[in-house]
Amino acid sequence: VQLQASGGGLVQPGGSLRLSCAASGTIFSTRSMRWYRQAPGKQRELVAAITSGGYTNYADSVKRRFAISRDNANNTVYLQMESLKPEDTAVYSCNVEILGRWRQWNTHWGQGTEVTVSS
């Protein structure tokens, strides 16, 4: 199983970005999908999560600005980021619980995608 994240880049304060993370390989099912971020010199933090049933939760710092969604048919999770602030600058990584080849649940990580918010 591989997770491919994309969509990061440089954006001005107040701008928007949409991150995507697509899982590929032998996948029978997925459960929770999450986005984490790690800013320079800081610990990694959970940004947003979505369950298989569509229940979502967000870090307080991104509520009402970010929206997580998923496409179960394509094993993809998205993070729509609006009203971006310089403090949102970080490497964003996806994390997905996957029922794979050996019929076991494992948590897989995608490579990070860098988001820089700066004028």
Side-chain angles (χ1 to χ4, degrees), residues 33-105:
M33 296 178 163
R34 307 175 185 90
W35 284 98
Y36 286 82
R37 69 184 180 187
Q38 186 165 21
K42 295 188 176 181
Q43 288 189 331
R44 184 170 62 195
E45 65 170 339
L46 177 64
V47 176
I50 184 167
T51 67
S52 56
Y55 177 80
T56 59
N57 67 282
Y58 298 92
D60 288 343
S61 59
V62 307
K63 282 181 180 177
R64 294 176 295 280
R65 297 190 299 120
F66 289 12
I68 189 170
S69 60
R70 61 191 289 163
D71 178 352
N72 291 326
N74 293 298
N75 297 314
T76 301
V77 59
Y78 303 97
L79 186 67
Q80 179 68 42
M81 304 185 294
E82 306 283 348
S83 302
L84 283 161
K85 305 175 181 180
E87 50 265 42
D88 294 318
T89 295
V91 175
Y92 286 71
S93 301
C94 55
N95 167 297
V96 180
E97 297 174 22
I98 293 173
L99 183 65
R101 174 185 295 184
W102 308 113
R103 295 287 184 171
Q104 292 180 339
W105 287 99

Side-chain angles (χ1 to χ4, degrees), residues 22-42:
S24 61
T26 301
I27 299 171
F28 293 106
S29 185
T30 58
R31 288 190 309 204
S32 289
M33 296 178 163
R34 307 175 185 90
W35 284 98
Y36 286 82
R37 69 184 180 187
Q38 186 165 21
K42 295 188 176 181

